[in-house]
Amino acid sequence: MRELVRTNDIVLVSAIGALLDGANIHHLVLDQNMSIIEGSLGVLPRRILVHEEDSSQARQILRDAGLAHELRADD
């Protein structure tokens, strides 16, 4: 799995999820249930991950959507 984005913005997480769903790219959103621990303050970022083989396509989809600045470094 490769991390694409790490953000506190739940609207952005939802938008990226919709873009990836539209392209039939399976993804995981990690840490979305951490609000129980943090008290729903939104301070802990959510991480969006995709399979290694889908990483290039997913990154291109986000760049095309104007979200290149949100992408994590591609190690």
Side-chain angles (χ1 to χ4, degrees):
M1 298 295 283
R2 301 294 299 256
E3 183 178 347
L4 286 180
V5 175
R6 185 179 297 187
T7 183
N8 297 18
D9 186 341
I10 59 172
V11 174
L12 179 60
V13 169
S14 180
I16 290 172
L19 287 168
L20 296 175
D21 285 342
N24 292 320
I25 296 176
H26 179 73
H27 63 282
L28 295 174
V29 179
L30 300 181
D31 306 322
Q32 63 185 353
N33 295 322
M34 292 301 289
S35 63
I36 294 167
I37 295 170
E38 68 171 322
S40 299
L41 297 175
V43 295
L44 296 175
R46 278 86 170 152
R47 296 175 289 156
I48 301 174
L49 285 77
V50 296
H51 290 283
E52 181 101 22
E53 59 270 12
D54 294 327
S55 180
S56 294
Q57 181 184 4
R59 294 174 82 66
Q60 187 60 51
I61 288 167
L62 296 185
R63 282 192 289 271
D64 291 346
L67 298 172
H69 62 283
E70 298 291 347
L71 289 168
R72 301 288 289 180
D74 191 18
D75 298 330

